[in-house]
Structure formats: structure tokens, C-alpha cells
Amino acid sequence: LQKDINYVEDIFLNKIRGGNTIITNEKDLRDAIKRSGRRMRIIVRPANEDEVEDKDVYPRPAAKANDLKPRPPVVTVMGHVDHGKTTLLDALRKTNVVSQEFGGITQHIGAFSVSLENGKNVTFLDTPGHAAFTAMRERGASITDIVVLVVAADDGVMEQTLESIRMAKQANVPILVAINKIDAPNADIDRTKRMLVEAGIQVESMGGDIQAVPISALKQQNLDQLTEALVIQAELLNVMADPTGLVEAVIVESKVDIHRGKLCTVIVQRGILKKGSILLCGTTMAKVRTIKDAEGRIISEVSPGYPAELDGWKDLPSAGEVVLEVENEKQAKSALRAREAKKQIEKQMQDAEIISAKEQQHLREYREKLQHKRSLGRYKLKPEGPRKPEIEKVDGPPTLSVIVKCDVDGTLEAVLNILDTYNEPGCELDLVHYNVGAITESDIELAKTFKSIIYAFNVKCPERFEALAAENDVTIKHHNVIYKLVDDIKREINARLPTME
Ligand code: GDP
């Protein structure tokens, strides 16, 4: 044991005692090792000043109403395969007045923003379908404000349409319907609407309040009507964000570019993202070097509700992860260390949990085995809690009645394993009760009732209980070596065997 080991966490003890055991000196450490036996897991950390100061960063408290400003809604396009999701997204990108004005070439970065004639904007996630939505949801990110449900007017509602409806409803995201392919020869808008109502989507013209905009993504018909409907919906939903203070964002997509390195697209949720911002995401960070929009233009800042592609990442974050801006690199590094440490502890906790679950399983199986033996009449065994005296009296061979108390499950199991091999027809072994932990008053009462010997393995008995035991003629035998405990039991059995005439 080194002198500088002064911060020890014993996960095993955490598990069985349900509390934190932080050990700061050698004596306590030795005691803990003794108590927990061979199955102890220890994490040792130096109590180094810098490390103790490592602090994680978290999203700021919710913004004040005064700081909230309208922002573009973030829209996910969903629907059945081949109903026109990709065609719609491509068409929307092309109609974007910004890309027309600047002659930019759109590229796939995972999201893009459309500027409408009226100066309003709508942001689309351009990975259509369930995968993107599910990936985001799995990571708990809720960046979608509205789902555009694309339903082809010739096909109507299909299997994946229903699935999309279910997912949007589950995520509590409002739906706006785009009835697509109205140019197709066998398009039937009314039939499609009737099918939607049947699927639980109460469209506007059928007495409900869900907008259904008939469009042709291929012929680029009514697309402005669709985007305007989205803006109106966003206003109704009061889609707002706080553009002040440190940035909060969500990763939409990430990739490695051979020329530009690690890139990812974010949608900003709070604050204004600028070049030079220090960002933290999971266990990686970035000092933002370049910010680009979906047209590939370098931009200087990004406001809430808008997507942008960033470089400068140390490691690649994954889609759905939350990005938080920090004041400086020192803070970012300290938070990363804190997150790494937390991750390690979680990993070890998981490992310990798996092992402990295995041990529990072992013990359960063992108890079942003993139960089974009891039903075969070999033991009168009562493993689940103390037995009531009235069922006790059995005539027959002499009996050694025992109660076993052990320090940990492992030793209890070992002792029970040995008792399991007991095979002496001349004397019955009656295991009245067993468990892990110190001797209690009820153990003594039980021993008194059943005339049992209490075998205590590595467990203490408070002085007053020793006295109580003596008063009641109850013998408590302490052991800390298993074979000695077993020898003791054998001696007791021999003493009870009928003597040969
Ligand atoms: P996705 O699987 O939902 O992404 O569907 P796509 O966008 O790939 O479209 C599937 C097919 O439908 C393609 O052949 C498109 O050209 C066609 N399509 C998409 N929109 C329209 C439309 O408005 N009218 C017609 N007639 N065909 C369309």
C-alpha cells in the first residue's frame, strides 16, 4: 500500500451496503479488504488537487421568457418508402431563395435551412425516414419540432406511414401532412385523406385540425404552400429559443473528410455559435475553426434553429449527442477528465454488477438445490426466513440444529456447499436458518426455540447478545477458517451419534 493512495472507492461494498465507501487511510482500507474478502474491487485515485477540481458541465437552467426569440422550426420528413421523401427534400433545397441568390452548390451535411420569400426560415433534417428520427430519439435528443408526413396520393396510407404516425405521436411531435404525387395519373387526394382519418390523423378538410397540403415534389408544385404551412404551425407552437449566453446544440451528423478532417453538423438550440467557440460533446471537444452552411459557404456565426457544419473536433462525436459550449479550454479539459473518470467508474460498476448478478444467481441455484433436498427429506431446511416452531417437532434420529451466519455471500455459499455434502444417516442435520450479517436478537431467539448452535463465520456478535445467548443457553461458535468450522460441526455430529453397543 502506497502512502499516496488516499482515495479509494470500494464498489463491491457500495453494492452490498448501498452506500458510498470512500476510504482515505490505510487502516480502513485493510479493514475493508478483510470484510469483503476476495471479491473486492477497489478504484484508487490520487487526491491530487487538480483532479479533485475536475468538474463536468451541464446545460444551463431553462431560459427566462424575456430572452426567448422566435427561431426556425426544425422539421423531419417521414413516410412510406417511395412516397417521395428524398424528392421533396431535394426540391426544397432547390427552391431555397438563398441558394438561388448565391448560386451555391448544395451538399449533404445532414440538415439544411430554407429561406422563404417572407424572410422566414425552416430547417429540415435531410436524412429522411425513421433511422434519423430513431437515432436522435435513442439518444434522448428532441430536436424535431414538426414531422412532415409524406403520403403518396396514388398509394395512400401504407405500413410505414402508420409506423411514422406512431413514432411521431410517441415522441409527441405534431404532424403536418404532405399529400405527394398529386400529378400522378391515379392520384386520389380524397381517398388518401379518408385513409389518414382512419389512421387517426384528423385532417383539416375532414373536420380535424391537422393540415394536409397537396403537393408534387417531382413537379415542384405547392412547395411554398407547404413551407408556409410549416411556418404558421411553428408560430402556433411558439417555437422559440434563447440566443444569449453559451451555446447548446445537438449533433445531427458526423463524418471524416479526407481534406477537412473530422466534421459534424449541429443544429444550434441556444446561444450564437461562433468561430473559436470551445465545444464539449460526450468525451470529445472542439475549438471551432470553420463554420459552413449547407451551401458550403463559410459563415461567421449560427443562431438557434439553424444547422451548420463545424470542424476542429478532437474525436468524432455521434449523431444525437448534446454539444455544450464552455468558457475556455481549461474548463473543457477539466470537464473531459471528469467525464472520462465517470465513464470509467460506470464501466467498473457495470462489471461489478454483472459479477454480482452471477454470484446471486449461483446462490439462488444453490438454495433451490437445498430446497429440493429438503423436499426429499434429507434436511429439514428453512432457507427463506426463520421457521415457526410448531412445524419443528419430528421424531427420528438425533438432530444437530444449526444457524449459520457469514460475513459475505461467498463464505456463506462455501459453508452451505460443505453442509450440502453432509451424509450421515445416524444424525440429522437441521439447518434452521442462514444469512449474511451480524448475529441479531432474533437469531438467538430462533436458536433458543430450536436448540440450535449458532455458527458465526467472520461476523461479530454485540456483547449484549453474547450475554443474551448465555442467559438462554444458546451456544455461539465463532470461526474464521472454514475447515475449522466444518471440523467443529463434525465433532458436534459425532457427539450426537448413537454409541455402538
Ligand atoms: P422516398 O423513398 O420516400 O425517398 O421516395 P423518392 O423521393 O425516392 O421517390 C420515389 C419515386 O417517386 C421516385 O421515382 C420519384 O421520382 C417519384 N416521385 C417522387 N415525388 C413524386 C411526385 O410528386 N410525383 C410523381 N409522379 N412521382 C414522384
Side-chain angles (χ1 to χ4, degrees):
L1 293 170
Q2 290 163 14
K3 283 247 157 48
D4 63 346
I5 296 175
N6 46 9
Y7 181 35
V8 174
E9 277 189 27
D10 170 358
I11 284 174
F12 183 74
L13 287 183
N14 281 351
K15 288 265 93 121
I16 59 171
R17 276 146 212 255
N20 284 319
T21 309
I22 295 173
I23 295 165
T24 51
N25 63 61
E26 193 176 313
K27 183 185 167 295
D28 289 353
L29 178 60
R30 286 188 188 283
D31 279 355
I33 291 171
K34 228 162 85 186
R35 262 180 293 146
S36 61
R38 64 192 156 81
R39 287 137 15 107
M40 172 143 173
R41 261 155 227 100
I42 306 172
I43 298 170
V44 180
R45 291 212 225 109
N48 170 318
E49 278 301 297
D50 281 354
E51 249 188 279
V52 170
E53 270 178 12
D54 280 349
K55 278 201 184 83
D56 199 355
V57 291
Y58 301 96
R60 288 175 288 146
K64 292 195 195 81
N66 280 350
D67 292 332
L68 292 173
K69 299 277 176 307
R71 62 160 171 86
V74 179
V75 175
T76 300
V77 175
M78 296 176 89
H80 195 70
V81 64
D82 277 351
H83 278 198
K85 298 178 293 290
T86 314
T87 313
L88 173 62
L89 285 163
D90 285 346
L92 286 166
R93 254 189 302 235
K94 275 183 218 140
T95 58
N96 193 353
V97 289
V98 175
S99 47
Q100 279 169 9
E101 277 169 27
F102 293 91
I105 304 156
T106 57
Q107 46 173 18
H108 174 93
I109 64 163
F112 63 93
S113 202
V114 171
S115 298
L116 313 185
E117 301 282 359
N118 61 8
K120 302 267 166 91
N121 290 276
V122 181
T123 295
F124 290 91
L125 291 178
D126 75 353
T127 326
H130 306 166
F133 199 75
T134 317
M136 292 283 163
R137 291 259 301 149
E138 268 170 10
R139 294 189 174 87
S142 50
I143 47 170
T144 303
D145 299 303
I146 306 167
V147 161
V148 165
L149 180 69
V150 177
V151 191
D154 49 359
D155 263 1
V157 171
M158 303 289 279
E159 196 190 316
Q160 284 160 291
T161 320
L162 295 173
E163 208 174 292
S164 307
I165 294 171
R166 214 172 39 243
M167 287 171 91
K169 283 192 171 169
Q170 237 171 35
N172 222 358
V173 180
I175 291 173
L176 199 145
V177 180
I179 300 181
N180 192 29
K181 305 198 186 181
I182 52 167
D183 62 300
N186 42 359
D188 188 341
I189 298 177
D190 284 339
R191 173 176 162 267
T192 306
K193 283 184 177 173
R194 280 197 301 279
M195 288 174 90
L196 281 162
V197 172
E198 270 171 37
I201 297 294
Q202 309 297 332
V203 286
E204 226 170 27
S205 55
M206 311 276 287
D209 57 1
I210 295 177
Q211 286 197 67
V213 185
I215 60 161
S216 167
L218 193 68
K219 301 267 159 81
Q220 303 192 15
Q221 277 171 6
N222 275 355
L223 297 189
D224 46 355
Q225 206 180 317
L226 178 70
T227 43
E228 272 158 32
L230 284 167
V231 168
I232 293 167
Q233 176 89 25
E235 277 164 10
L236 288 174
L237 291 170
N238 218 8
V239 171
M240 310 266 256
D242 168 16
T244 64
L246 293 171
V247 168
E248 290 170 28
V250 170
I251 307 278
V252 172
E253 200 173 276
S254 58
K255 63 180 173 209
V256 180
D257 181 281
I258 9 170
H259 305 295
R260 294 172 56 213
K262 295 167 183 128
L263 301 174
C264 70
T265 301
V266 297
I267 289 185
V268 175
Q269 296 189 300
R270 199 171 180 184
I272 310 273
L273 179 72
K274 296 190 179 85
K275 186 181 165 182
S277 292
I278 313 277
L279 305 179
L280 200 68
C281 181
T283 47
T284 181
M285 61 171 288
K287 182 169 184 178
V288 179
R289 280 198 303 258
T290 332
I291 311 177
K292 285 187 172 181
D293 66 10
E295 275 81 40
R297 290 171 306 157
I298 292 179
I299 49 178
S300 57
E301 55 180 49
V302 196
S303 306
Y306 288 91
E309 191 185 56
L310 318 173
D311 60 3
W313 292 94
K314 283 212 155 64
D315 291 307
L316 214 52
S318 342
E321 283 194 286
V322 172
V323 177
L324 297 174
E325 186 185 13
V326 290
E327 304 274 4
N328 50 50
E329 274 181 69
K330 187 168 172 248
Q331 205 186 3
K333 284 178 181 156
S334 143
L336 283 185
R337 280 194 301 266
R339 288 179 179 194
E340 279 297 348
K342 195 172 155 222
K343 217 165 95 177
Q344 256 185 27
I345 289 180
E346 277 169 2
K347 165 91 176 52
Q348 297 196 23
M349 289 290 254
Q350 272 171 5
D351 289 352
E353 230 155 71
I354 291 167
I355 290 166
S356 159
K358 269 192 196 151
E359 283 163 353
Q360 291 295 332
Q361 171 70 12
H362 227 87
L363 201 65
R364 241 193 332 271
E365 281 169 14
Y366 186 75
R367 283 177 181 157
E368 275 163 17
K369 227 165 75 187
L370 279 188
Q371 281 272 33
H372 179 63
K373 287 209 166 130
R374 182 174 66 135
S375 70
L376 294 179
R378 188 152 153 219
Y379 294 151
K380 300 182 290 167
L381 185 66
K382 178 69 184 164
E384 296 300 325
R387 178 168 33 153
K388 298 218 166 56
E390 55 269 21
I391 57 163
E392 190 259 339
K393 198 62 210 138
V394 178
D395 287 331
T399 299
L400 170 64
S401 169
V402 296
I403 290 174
V404 179
K405 302 285 290 192
C406 288
D407 53 348
V408 290
D409 275 348
T411 46
L412 177 61
E413 189 183 345
V415 172
L416 294 181
N417 265 328
I418 293 168
L419 295 187
D420 186 36
T421 61
Y422 176 72
N423 189 14
E424 175 51 73
C427 177
E428 191 165 340
L429 180 65
D430 184 11
L431 185 56
V432 171
H433 179 56
Y434 61 78
N435 69 6
V436 170
I439 293 169
T440 63
E441 200 170 342
S442 84
D443 292 329
I444 294 167
E445 271 168 25
L446 207 62
K448 183 185 161 196
T449 312
F450 289 99
K451 303 196 172 25
S452 320
I453 297 173
I454 299 178
Y455 280 95
F457 188 85
N458 253 348
V459 295
K460 297 217 171 70
C461 179
E463 244 168 62
R464 59 202 164 98
F465 292 162
E466 292 277 5
L468 183 72
E471 266 169 42
N472 289 288
D473 275 338
V474 169
T475 310
I476 299 176
K477 296 194 170 199
H478 290 277
H479 288 279
N480 48 23
V481 179
I482 290 183
Y483 81 82
K484 287 192 177 162
L485 185 147
V486 174
D487 280 353
D488 190 335
I489 293 181
K490 275 187 196 157
R491 267 198 308 280
E492 292 291 342
I493 286 167
N494 284 334
R496 282 165 177 73
L497 285 177
T499 43
M500 299 293 256
E501 292 296 315

